[in-house]
Amino acid sequence: MELLHSGKVRDVYADGDDLILVASDRISVYDVVLPTPIPDKGRLLTALSLWWFEQLSDLVPNHVLSATDVPAEFAGRAVRCRRLEMVPVECVARGYLTGGGLKEYQATGRVSGVELPRGLVEASILPEPIFTPSTKAPVGEHDEPITFADVVDKVGADTAERLRQITVDVYRRGAELAADRGILVADTKLELGWTPDGTLMLGDELLTSDSSRFWPAESYQPGRPQFSYDKQYVRDWATASGWDKQAPAPEVPAEVVEATRARYVDVYETLTGNRW
């Protein structure tokens, strides 16, 4: 195998015509990789992605070829997958107002160019899910929000509309399945790419605690921050630490590591019904 790319969380290897996608225990916030890993994180992300790919396989095809035909040293944290020509856009869907979307709304009344009603507060549910794409920044740089018109400029009108439709459809289906299990999906980020025969399909990860914000429905209350089953907990710690969000990042305290792992495990078990 040949290492092709080492990203913020995943390493990509070439194995003949296939790719081996390996999820590490690294965690990144504000597009900077932290020096402290989260134990089992790579295995949890891989298992949850595989579960979601299966749940949504009738809605949109995905890149998974095998979860078992991988090198032994990567077992449990790797997927054999198709090679895709990745779309040069981060495809994000939001159903609730939080994070960077909230800050943009407070400044402009819009998120990625989408006009929203006045008077929304933190964690408000949106009238309908919206497509809020962003750039794909290299490691150590920050993704930046862009408008649908920017996506059209990058990939053309037809592809841009397909990206928007797939992203919103995946979000809606995922949010419905999660809500049945007591989890609210505030937002999620997708990666899409083309196969050589022109099929547009899902790649990378899907509806995980790294790519989504998950909130417990039972304690949801707009107007305040929500309990989060995802890496928002680490983002909050990083913000409170006084770190300037530039590399190098500080070490993460043991209690934050333990609490973060527990949240990843809890949401995996709640969504899938499987014990970790």
Side-chain angles (χ1 to χ4, degrees), residues 55-266:
Q55 303 305 308
L56 303 182
S57 60
D58 64 318
L59 184 64
V60 58
N62 62 72
H63 69 161
V64 176
L65 293 172
S66 174
T68 56
D69 183 15
V70 298
E73 65 265 33
F74 299 143
R77 62 174 64 244
V79 176
R80 180 176 295 273
C81 54
R82 297 173 178 86
R83 289 178 182 257
L84 302 179
E85 180 186 348
M86 302 309 293
V87 173
V89 173
E90 298 278 11
C91 295
V92 180
R94 299 177 187 270
Y96 295 79
L97 191 60
T98 189
L102 173 63
K103 293 178 182 178
E104 189 177 350
Y105 169 78
Q106 290 171 333
T108 68
R110 301 178 177 86
V111 180
S112 291
V114 179
E115 189 84 28
L116 294 176
R118 298 178 64 181
L120 299 181
V121 297
E122 180 166 359
S124 285
I125 187 169
L126 301 179
E128 60 182 8
I130 58 174
F131 179 58
T132 60
S134 68
T135 60
K136 280 189 177 181
V139 174
E141 297 183 21
H142 301 294
D143 296 338
E144 298 292 341
I146 56 177
T147 66
F148 182 73
D150 294 327
V151 180
V152 171
D153 289 342
K154 285 178 176 290
V155 299
D158 290 346
T159 296
E161 183 54 46
R162 290 185 66 191
L163 295 176
R164 176 163 64 181
Q165 192 64 55
I166 289 171
T167 303
V168 172
D169 286 350
V170 166
Y171 173 81
R172 286 186 191 276
R173 175 79 71 84
E176 289 171 2
L177 288 169
D180 288 342
R181 294 157 172 83
I183 300 293
L184 302 180
V185 183
D187 52 42
T188 196
K189 178 179 69 176
L190 308 180
E191 298 273 5
L192 289 140
W194 300 98
T195 63
D197 67 2
T199 301
L200 188 59
M201 63 174 52
L202 293 168
D204 197 51
E205 63 184 323
L206 182 62
L207 286 159
T208 72
S209 301
D210 268 18
S211 64
S212 315
R213 285 185 174 91
F214 294 131
W215 301 336
E218 64 181 7
S219 62
Y220 168 69
Q221 183 180 344
R224 61 167 176 80
Q226 309 300 305
F227 181 93
S228 180
Y229 285 117
D230 49 76
K231 68 178 183 179
Q232 186 60 44
Y233 181 69
V234 183
R235 287 193 196 96
D236 292 343
W237 165 80
T239 300
S241 74
W243 173 48
D244 63 3
K245 303 178 185 179
Q246 302 295 319
E251 292 283 348
V252 183
E255 63 271 18
V256 176
V257 171
E258 292 169 8
T260 302
R261 181 187 180 279
R263 292 175 188 227
Y264 277 62
V265 170
D266 285 349

Side-chain angles (χ1 to χ4, degrees), residues 40 44 260-270 274 276:
D40 289 330
L44 284 157
T260 302
R261 181 187 180 279
R263 292 175 188 227
Y264 277 62
V265 170
D266 285 349
V267 79
Y268 168 81
E269 292 184 340
T270 302
N274 299 325
W276 185 254

